[in-house]
Amino acid sequence: MSDQEVSNKQVALKNYVTGFPKESDMQIITTNTIKLRVPEGTKDAVLVKNLYLSCDPYMRECMSAGDGGFSSFELGKPLTGYGVAKILDSTHPNYKKGDLAWGFTGWEEYSLIVSPRILIKIEHTDVPLSYYTGILGMPGMTAYAGFYEICTPKKGEYVYISAASGAVGQIVGQFAKLLGCYVVGSAGSKEKVDLLKNKFGFDEAFNYKEEPDLTAALKRYFPEGIDIYFENVGGKMLDAVLANMRNLGRIAACGMISQYNLEKHEGVHNLTLIVWKQIRMQGFLAGSYYHLYPKFLEMVLPYIKQGKIVYVEDKAEGLESGPTSLLSLFTGQNVGKKLLVVARE
Amino acid sequence: MSDQEVSNKQVALKNYVTGFPKESDMQIITTNTIKLRVPEGTKDAVLVKNLYLSCDPYMRECMSAGDGGFSSFELGKPLTGYGVAKILDSTHPNYKKGDLAWGFTGWEEYSLIVSPRILIKIEHTDVPLSYYTGILGMPGMTAYAGFYEICTPKKGEYVYISAASGAVGQIVGQFAKLLGCYVVGSAGSKEKVDLLKNKFGFDEAFNYKEEPDLTAALKRYFPEGIDIYFENVGGKMLDAVLANMRNLGRIAACGMISQYNLEKHEGVHNLTLIVWKQIRMQGFLAGSYYHLYPKFLEMVLPYIKQGKIVYVEDKAEGLESGPTSLLSLFTGQNVGKKLLVVARE
């Protein structure tokens, strides 16, 4: 523990965004310094070194001013988000120096976190540490809660996943296959479609950008209709899915990434089908399910170690690549779970 | 039981409808006759005299050609729908001559029903018999299943009901008040708003036609947001509600009457809020819940007899008034549960 100040590079939002975000909406701040200890008298706090930072679609909402679903980022301050960090100093009873944890931190080299909202100690280190931004962190819990708790899936059911090669989709698809479902995913490039079919074991996959008529495409892959839709994109895709849902179908509304950068969201026209087909569409956030995390780990760790579930990450090096990395989610340039490597230990 | 043929007036669909239906899309057929007995050798059949016929918004779907949510009416044949009927002859083990029943029948004076899909014997006749087209029939079960099974309501929650003076809405509001919720309803005329406040005991009610900004109107009535929305109308109202829902809110999607006559349904733009607010929106049909009918009767009959729940009907006399009555649902001219009196016994 040292009183010495070290430099603390940060990624900050420069201005609130409407429409599609640009790199120039963010800035790298290199002039700040930080003492690597919890300030005297500050209780329940940890001073952490950020190792991996997670790029997540919901962060787009925090780049807008005003009262969206999440609080907006503070201008000129480091972005906040999920990450994996090492505890350098602690006045928090649950953490000591040297511990590893994942949870809510800042887009900077070091963060002082007082009264952590979401911080979970990492107990298993025989898996890649970066997985705690993905399959073993928030996206993993999102897939787990969304599929098992929201979709109430049964063996043999027809499951469709959009944005299926992303941080959450790839896990949901593998969960569904392990349960014995028929699983189709869509994504936005040939490379991703190949991953879905050849790496993640989906039954079928297609490139939605090559389908002029999404309703017809889904009809082709699901001649008997869709029981479960894991919704990551919204808009036109949701309309096409509703037209193809079966009676008593379930839609886990995890995200609607196609809409976040539109100044006015697309209209969805087929909602009367929710009535006639008795569909349940349910929004959810992983944060409401973290009490299930131990149960989740118990299930998923053996699968990972046995190679029954694989996970594809898309890593970028350094905080400097933060803005490009975050934006890649919205252009679909990421392949798999996008994350920043800030430091390796 | 007689072999004599009697005349059997019918209401039939003349042509399939797009857009707003007109009286001239239907016709009264006066030339048919029927024998008042089940034909020799026909098993599991009843020959009934129709007493009351129910006008229900879902019937608009059956007036369109093609693959909507329900099967289309057969052109030139009597419309089908819910009604109350008296058994004149029966080869069905559950029914005998003189029994009363409610369920699926035809828009005609007498119907031969073979292997009835939905037919429930009426055991309690110390209430108005016409109630079995409404509070004691499908609309009642819709209100019961929608509110208690779909909305999972709790005392003190904020409940909003659109089309609140209709066949289902008036019951839902009274259920919610009995449970101790704060209940606001909307309807399309001063007369209906007065009913909501003064007859059904809603906490507040408003005329949606007088509100240029529905989002602002709901904000006024629900400064702390809406926990439960009983959805009867869809379209713009749904968008306004989503903007005012609280986290973990529930929407029972019972119907979307504002959309049925549009050739292209309105777009709903606020669906990302389903994700951020973790809203559950669930479509349902009463038919999936008829196994709960005995439990429902046990609850609702005492309330009716004690005057703790009231029910407003809007009766039209005779099959001739069928077309106008059905259309009145879509112009909002009905006040309360719309039904046809075909015969009183």
Side-chain angles (χ1 to χ4, degrees), chain A residues 141-217:
Chain A
M141 277 305 296
T142 302
Y144 180 74
F147 187 62
Y148 293 106
E149 300 290 316
I150 306 286
C151 295
T152 52
K154 287 187 292 290
K155 184 177 173 175
E157 286 194 313
Y158 300 102
V159 175
Y160 173 54
I161 303 162
S162 55
S165 69
V168 175
Q170 54 175 301
I171 310 173
V172 175
Q174 295 178 83
F175 283 164
K177 282 308 301 173
L178 285 166
L179 186 65
C181 297
Y182 174 80
V183 183
V184 178
S186 60
S189 74
K190 184 178 181 311
E191 181 186 4
K192 293 178 185 180
V193 168
D194 287 346
L195 269 181
L196 293 176
K197 288 203 274 201
N198 303 321
K199 190 160 182 86
F200 303 131
F202 283 50
D203 294 289
E204 292 285 352
F206 65 93
N207 181 347
Y208 71 92
K209 292 180 181 169
E210 290 177 351
E211 296 292 347
D213 182 341
L214 291 171
T215 304

Side-chain angles (χ1 to χ4, degrees), chain A residues 57-58 61 68-70 238 248 253-256 259-260 264-286 288-289, chain B residues 57-58 61 68-70 238 248 253-256 259-260 264-286 288-289:
Chain A
Y58 82 86
E61 291 288 301
F70 295 93
L238 179 54
L248 301 170
C254 172
M256 298 193 179
Q259 304 301 301
Y260 303 160
K264 174 160 183 161
H265 289 188
E266 283 179 295
V268 171
H269 298 268
N270 285 338
L271 293 176
T272 54
L273 295 175
I274 286 185
V275 182
W276 309 140
K277 296 183 178 180
Q278 306 191 66
I279 292 168
R280 171 161 54 81
M281 177 168 181
Q282 187 165 354
F284 68 102
L285 299 173
S288 299
Y289 296 88
Chain B
Y58 82 86
E61 291 289 299
F70 295 93
L238 179 53
L248 301 169
C254 173
M256 299 192 179
Q259 305 300 299
Y260 303 160
K264 174 157 184 164
H265 289 188
E266 284 180 293
V268 171
H269 297 268
N270 285 338
L271 293 175
T272 55
L273 295 175
I274 286 184
V275 182
W276 309 141
K277 296 182 178 181
Q278 305 191 68
I279 291 167
R280 171 161 57 80
M281 176 166 179
Q282 188 165 354
F284 68 102
L285 299 172
S288 298
Y289 296 88

